[in-house]
mmCIF file of all heavy atoms in Angstrom:
data_model
loop_
_atom_site.group_PDB
_atom_site.id
_atom_site.type_symbol
_atom_site.label_atom_id
_atom_site.label_comp_id
_atom_site.label_asym_id
_atom_site.label_seq_id
_atom_site.Cartn_x
_atom_site.Cartn_y
_atom_site.Cartn_z
ATOM 1 N N TYR A 1 -7.381 -17.948 2.242
ATOM 2 C CA TYR A 1 -6.507 -17.639 1.109
ATOM 3 C C TYR A 1 -5.073 -17.408 1.580
ATOM 4 O O TYR A 1 -4.133 -18.046 1.091
ATOM 5 C CB TYR A 1 -7.021 -16.407 0.358
ATOM 6 C CG TYR A 1 -5.999 -15.804 -0.580
ATOM 7 C CD1 TYR A 1 -5.547 -16.504 -1.692
ATOM 8 C CD2 TYR A 1 -5.463 -14.534 -0.346
ATOM 9 C CE1 TYR A 1 -4.594 -15.960 -2.547
ATOM 10 C CE2 TYR A 1 -4.516 -13.979 -1.199
ATOM 11 C CZ TYR A 1 -4.090 -14.699 -2.288
ATOM 12 O OH TYR A 1 -3.148 -14.167 -3.121
ATOM 13 N N ILE A 2 -4.901 -16.488 2.517
ATOM 14 C CA ILE A 2 -3.557 -16.175 3.011
ATOM 15 C C ILE A 2 -2.930 -17.397 3.675
ATOM 16 O O ILE A 2 -1.746 -17.700 3.464
ATOM 17 C CB ILE A 2 -3.613 -15.000 4.014
ATOM 18 C CG1 ILE A 2 -4.185 -13.737 3.342
ATOM 19 C CG2 ILE A 2 -2.230 -14.710 4.576
ATOM 20 C CD1 ILE A 2 -3.341 -13.160 2.256
ATOM 21 N N TYR A 3 -3.718 -18.111 4.467
ATOM 22 C CA TYR A 3 -3.211 -19.292 5.168
ATOM 23 C C TYR A 3 -2.711 -20.340 4.175
ATOM 24 O O TYR A 3 -1.611 -20.892 4.332
ATOM 25 C CB TYR A 3 -4.320 -19.865 6.040
ATOM 26 C CG TYR A 3 -3.929 -21.097 6.815
ATOM 27 C CD1 TYR A 3 -2.991 -21.031 7.841
ATOM 28 C CD2 TYR A 3 -4.508 -22.334 6.533
ATOM 29 C CE1 TYR A 3 -2.634 -22.171 8.568
ATOM 30 C CE2 TYR A 3 -4.161 -23.471 7.251
ATOM 31 C CZ TYR A 3 -3.226 -23.384 8.252
ATOM 32 O OH TYR A 3 -2.878 -24.507 8.970
ATOM 33 N N SER A 4 -3.511 -20.600 3.134
ATOM 34 C CA SER A 4 -3.125 -21.627 2.164
ATOM 35 C C SER A 4 -1.916 -21.187 1.328
ATOM 36 O O SER A 4 -1.101 -22.021 0.923
ATOM 37 C CB SER A 4 -4.310 -21.978 1.249
ATOM 38 O OG SER A 4 -4.758 -20.837 0.534
ATOM 39 N N LYS A 5 -1.775 -19.882 1.087
ATOM 40 C CA LYS A 5 -0.592 -19.398 0.364
ATOM 41 C C LYS A 5 0.660 -19.554 1.234
ATOM 42 O O LYS A 5 1.747 -19.840 0.708
ATOM 43 C CB LYS A 5 -0.775 -17.942 -0.053
ATOM 44 C CG LYS A 5 -1.861 -17.719 -1.098
ATOM 45 C CD LYS A 5 -1.621 -18.482 -2.383
ATOM 46 C CE LYS A 5 -0.593 -17.824 -3.269
ATOM 47 N NZ LYS A 5 -0.452 -18.539 -4.571
ATOM 48 N N ALA A 6 0.513 -19.370 2.538
ATOM 49 C CA ALA A 6 1.644 -19.603 3.448
ATOM 50 C C ALA A 6 2.031 -21.082 3.437
ATOM 51 O O ALA A 6 3.224 -21.425 3.431
ATOM 52 C CB ALA A 6 1.289 -19.154 4.856
ATOM 53 N N LEU A 7 1.027 -21.951 3.402
ATOM 54 C CA LEU A 7 1.292 -23.391 3.317
ATOM 55 C C LEU A 7 1.953 -23.739 1.978
ATOM 56 O O LEU A 7 2.819 -24.614 1.913
ATOM 57 C CB LEU A 7 -0.015 -24.184 3.463
ATOM 58 C CG LEU A 7 -0.641 -24.236 4.856
ATOM 59 C CD1 LEU A 7 -2.008 -24.900 4.790
ATOM 60 C CD2 LEU A 7 0.264 -24.980 5.838
ATOM 61 N N GLY A 8 1.559 -23.040 0.931
ATOM 62 C CA GLY A 8 2.170 -23.259 -0.383
ATOM 63 C C GLY A 8 3.656 -22.951 -0.366
ATOM 64 O O GLY A 8 4.459 -23.667 -0.971
ATOM 65 N N GLU A 9 4.035 -21.890 0.329
ATOM 66 C CA GLU A 9 5.455 -21.559 0.455
ATOM 67 C C GLU A 9 6.197 -22.634 1.249
ATOM 68 O O GLU A 9 7.344 -22.963 0.957
ATOM 69 C CB GLU A 9 5.618 -20.191 1.117
ATOM 70 C CG GLU A 9 5.186 -19.031 0.245
ATOM 71 C CD GLU A 9 5.693 -17.685 0.744
ATOM 72 O OE1 GLU A 9 6.537 -17.682 1.669
ATOM 73 O OE2 GLU A 9 5.272 -16.648 0.203
ATOM 74 N N ASN A 10 5.518 -23.179 2.250
ATOM 75 C CA ASN A 10 6.105 -24.268 3.022
ATOM 76 C C ASN A 10 6.343 -25.485 2.132
ATOM 77 O O ASN A 10 7.374 -26.163 2.240
ATOM 78 C CB ASN A 10 5.176 -24.632 4.190
ATOM 79 C CG ASN A 10 5.697 -25.796 5.020
ATOM 80 O OD1 ASN A 10 5.312 -26.939 4.800
ATOM 81 N ND2 ASN A 10 6.577 -25.502 5.956
ATOM 82 N N MET A 11 5.421 -25.728 1.218
ATOM 83 C CA MET A 11 5.562 -26.852 0.291
ATOM 84 C C MET A 11 6.748 -26.629 -0.646
ATOM 85 O O MET A 11 7.481 -27.572 -0.977
ATOM 86 C CB MET A 11 4.263 -27.015 -0.508
ATOM 87 C CG MET A 11 4.127 -28.338 -1.211
ATOM 88 S SD MET A 11 4.049 -29.758 -0.069
ATOM 89 C CE MET A 11 2.326 -29.747 0.400
ATOM 90 N N ILE A 12 6.944 -25.405 -1.085
ATOM 91 C CA ILE A 12 8.099 -25.066 -1.933
ATOM 92 C C ILE A 12 9.400 -25.401 -1.203
ATOM 93 O O ILE A 12 10.331 -25.987 -1.766
ATOM 94 C CB ILE A 12 8.081 -23.566 -2.300
ATOM 95 C CG1 ILE A 12 6.897 -23.231 -3.205
ATOM 96 C CG2 ILE A 12 9.400 -23.147 -2.963
ATOM 97 C CD1 ILE A 12 6.999 -23.753 -4.605
ATOM 98 N N LEU A 13 9.462 -25.047 0.058
ATOM 99 C CA LEU A 13 10.662 -25.280 0.855
ATOM 100 C C LEU A 13 10.941 -26.775 1.015
ATOM 101 O O LEU A 13 12.088 -27.217 0.990
ATOM 102 C CB LEU A 13 10.489 -24.622 2.234
ATOM 103 C CG LEU A 13 11.747 -24.236 3.009
ATOM 104 C CD1 LEU A 13 12.654 -23.331 2.199
ATOM 105 C CD2 LEU A 13 11.359 -23.549 4.319
ATOM 106 N N LYS A 14 9.869 -27.567 1.137
ATOM 107 C CA LYS A 14 10.022 -29.002 1.372
ATOM 108 C C LYS A 14 10.418 -29.785 0.126
ATOM 109 O O LYS A 14 11.199 -30.731 0.196
ATOM 110 C CB LYS A 14 8.703 -29.585 1.906
ATOM 111 C CG LYS A 14 8.395 -29.253 3.344
ATOM 112 C CD LYS A 14 7.238 -30.088 3.858
ATOM 113 C CE LYS A 14 7.613 -31.548 3.974
ATOM 114 N NZ LYS A 14 6.521 -32.367 4.563
ATOM 115 N N TYR A 15 9.856 -29.420 -1.022
ATOM 116 C CA TYR A 15 9.981 -30.269 -2.205
ATOM 117 C C TYR A 15 10.760 -29.624 -3.363
ATOM 118 O O TYR A 15 10.702 -30.100 -4.490
ATOM 119 C CB TYR A 15 8.594 -30.691 -2.695
ATOM 120 C CG TYR A 15 7.927 -31.667 -1.765
ATOM 121 C CD1 TYR A 15 7.037 -31.225 -0.793
ATOM 122 C CD2 TYR A 15 8.208 -33.030 -1.823
ATOM 123 C CE1 TYR A 15 6.419 -32.111 0.083
ATOM 124 C CE2 TYR A 15 7.602 -33.929 -0.953
ATOM 125 C CZ TYR A 15 6.711 -33.460 -0.003
ATOM 126 O OH TYR A 15 6.114 -34.351 0.870
ATOM 127 N N SER A 16 11.472 -28.563 -3.079
ATOM 128 C CA SER A 16 12.227 -27.902 -4.146
ATOM 129 C C SER A 16 13.445 -28.706 -4.572
ATOM 130 O O SER A 16 13.870 -28.648 -5.734
ATOM 131 C CB SER A 16 12.666 -26.511 -3.698
ATOM 132 O OG SER A 16 13.457 -26.601 -2.530
ATOM 133 N N GLY A 17 14.029 -29.454 -3.635
ATOM 134 C CA GLY A 17 15.216 -30.241 -3.964
ATOM 135 C C GLY A 17 16.326 -29.368 -4.514
ATOM 136 O O GLY A 17 16.653 -28.329 -3.947
ATOM 137 N N ASN A 18 16.874 -29.763 -5.641
ATOM 138 C CA ASN A 18 17.929 -28.971 -6.286
ATOM 139 C C ASN A 18 17.407 -28.130 -7.454
ATOM 140 O O ASN A 18 18.191 -27.633 -8.263
ATOM 141 C CB ASN A 18 19.040 -29.904 -6.789
ATOM 142 C CG ASN A 18 19.794 -30.533 -5.628
ATOM 143 O OD1 ASN A 18 20.061 -29.875 -4.627
ATOM 144 N ND2 ASN A 18 20.127 -31.811 -5.775
ATOM 145 N N LEU A 19 16.088 -27.996 -7.543
ATOM 146 C CA LEU A 19 15.518 -27.218 -8.638
ATOM 147 C C LEU A 19 15.918 -25.743 -8.543
ATOM 148 O O LEU A 19 15.937 -25.174 -7.456
ATOM 149 C CB LEU A 19 13.984 -27.290 -8.599
ATOM 150 C CG LEU A 19 13.293 -28.600 -8.981
ATOM 151 C CD1 LEU A 19 11.797 -28.460 -8.740
ATOM 152 C CD2 LEU A 19 13.560 -28.940 -10.445
ATOM 153 N N PRO A 20 16.202 -25.116 -9.678
ATOM 154 C CA PRO A 20 16.295 -23.651 -9.678
ATOM 155 C C PRO A 20 14.866 -23.120 -9.467
ATOM 156 O O PRO A 20 13.998 -23.338 -10.319
ATOM 157 C CB PRO A 20 16.815 -23.315 -11.068
ATOM 158 C CG PRO A 20 17.327 -24.608 -11.619
ATOM 159 C CD PRO A 20 16.518 -25.682 -10.987
ATOM 160 N N ILE A 21 14.624 -22.483 -8.363
ATOM 161 C CA ILE A 21 13.257 -22.106 -8.012
ATOM 162 C C ILE A 21 13.251 -20.811 -7.217
ATOM 163 O O ILE A 21 14.201 -20.520 -6.472
ATOM 164 C CB ILE A 21 12.580 -23.252 -7.205
ATOM 165 C CG1 ILE A 21 11.102 -22.963 -6.960
ATOM 166 C CG2 ILE A 21 13.304 -23.525 -5.911
ATOM 167 C CD1 ILE A 21 10.341 -24.177 -6.438
ATOM 168 N N CYS A 22 12.206 -20.033 -7.381
ATOM 169 C CA CYS A 22 12.074 -18.790 -6.622
ATOM 170 C C CYS A 22 10.598 -18.551 -6.295
ATOM 171 O O CYS A 22 9.703 -19.192 -6.862
ATOM 172 C CB CYS A 22 12.639 -17.604 -7.384
ATOM 173 S SG CYS A 22 11.682 -17.145 -8.847
ATOM 174 N N ILE A 23 10.375 -17.630 -5.384
ATOM 175 C CA ILE A 23 9.019 -17.233 -4.995
ATOM 176 C C ILE A 23 8.874 -15.735 -5.242
ATOM 177 O O ILE A 23 9.721 -14.947 -4.807
ATOM 178 C CB ILE A 23 8.744 -17.551 -3.510
ATOM 179 C CG1 ILE A 23 8.796 -19.059 -3.261
ATOM 180 C CG2 ILE A 23 7.390 -16.981 -3.076
ATOM 181 C CD1 ILE A 23 8.700 -19.442 -1.786
ATOM 182 N N VAL A 24 7.826 -15.366 -5.943
ATOM 183 C CA VAL A 24 7.503 -13.946 -6.138
ATOM 184 C C VAL A 24 6.272 -13.629 -5.308
ATOM 185 O O VAL A 24 5.248 -14.308 -5.431
ATOM 186 C CB VAL A 24 7.244 -13.614 -7.622
ATOM 187 C CG1 VAL A 24 6.890 -12.135 -7.778
ATOM 188 C CG2 VAL A 24 8.465 -13.954 -8.460
ATOM 189 N N ARG A 25 6.393 -12.616 -4.460
ATOM 190 C CA ARG A 25 5.287 -12.239 -3.571
ATOM 191 C C ARG A 25 4.735 -10.853 -3.959
ATOM 192 O O ARG A 25 5.218 -9.843 -3.467
ATOM 193 C CB ARG A 25 5.763 -12.172 -2.120
ATOM 194 C CG ARG A 25 6.107 -13.482 -1.454
ATOM 195 C CD ARG A 25 6.510 -13.172 -0.029
ATOM 196 N NE ARG A 25 6.942 -14.345 0.718
ATOM 197 C CZ ARG A 25 7.806 -14.291 1.724
ATOM 198 N NH1 ARG A 25 8.354 -13.119 2.070
ATOM 199 N NH2 ARG A 25 8.144 -15.388 2.380
ATOM 200 N N PRO A 26 3.714 -10.811 -4.799
ATOM 201 C CA PRO A 26 3.100 -9.509 -5.096
ATOM 202 C C PRO A 26 2.205 -9.070 -3.931
ATOM 203 O O PRO A 26 1.655 -9.908 -3.213
ATOM 204 C CB PRO A 26 2.253 -9.782 -6.348
ATOM 205 C CG PRO A 26 2.555 -11.195 -6.744
ATOM 206 C CD PRO A 26 3.097 -11.887 -5.549
ATOM 207 N N SER A 27 2.040 -7.760 -3.784
ATOM 208 C CA SER A 27 1.121 -7.263 -2.761
ATOM 209 C C SER A 27 -0.283 -7.190 -3.366
ATOM 210 O O SER A 27 -0.709 -8.126 -4.030
ATOM 211 C CB SER A 27 1.604 -5.914 -2.224
ATOM 212 O OG SER A 27 1.831 -4.987 -3.276
ATOM 213 N N ILE A 28 -1.000 -6.093 -3.188
ATOM 214 C CA ILE A 28 -2.371 -5.990 -3.708
ATOM 215 C C ILE A 28 -2.285 -5.576 -5.179
ATOM 216 O O ILE A 28 -1.955 -4.435 -5.493
ATOM 217 C CB ILE A 28 -3.188 -4.964 -2.899
ATOM 218 C CG1 ILE A 28 -3.200 -5.352 -1.411
ATOM 219 C CG2 ILE A 28 -4.608 -4.870 -3.441
ATOM 220 C CD1 ILE A 28 -3.814 -4.292 -0.504
ATOM 221 N N VAL A 29 -2.561 -6.510 -6.065
ATOM 222 C CA VAL A 29 -2.385 -6.276 -7.497
ATOM 223 C C VAL A 29 -3.588 -5.514 -8.047
ATOM 224 O O VAL A 29 -4.738 -5.938 -7.886
ATOM 225 C CB VAL A 29 -2.203 -7.598 -8.262
ATOM 226 C CG1 VAL A 29 -1.900 -7.323 -9.734
ATOM 227 C CG2 VAL A 29 -1.095 -8.427 -7.633
ATOM 228 N N THR A 30 -3.311 -4.405 -8.708
ATOM 229 C CA THR A 30 -4.367 -3.575 -9.277
ATOM 230 C C THR A 30 -4.192 -3.482 -10.795
ATOM 231 O O THR A 30 -3.378 -4.198 -11.363
ATOM 232 C CB THR A 30 -4.363 -2.179 -8.629
ATOM 233 O OG1 THR A 30 -3.015 -1.686 -8.563
ATOM 234 C CG2 THR A 30 -4.900 -2.234 -7.203
#
């Protein structure tokens, strides 16, 4: 899970282009 989420962030960095884009990183959601 954690590994694939890290890869997901890498994908954001690669394919964001000029899009207005952000990443929200929640911790342990209760």
Side-chain angles (χ1 to χ4, degrees):
Y1 165 65
I2 300 294
Y3 180 67
S4 60
K5 293 301 282 184
L7 287 173
E9 290 196 10
N10 178 264
M11 196 64 82
I12 293 289
L13 204 55
K14 285 191 68 176
Y15 290 95
S16 58
N18 292 320
L19 289 175
I21 187 168
C22 69
I23 296 173
V24 179
R25 290 182 183 152
S27 53
I28 303 172
V29 185
T30 46

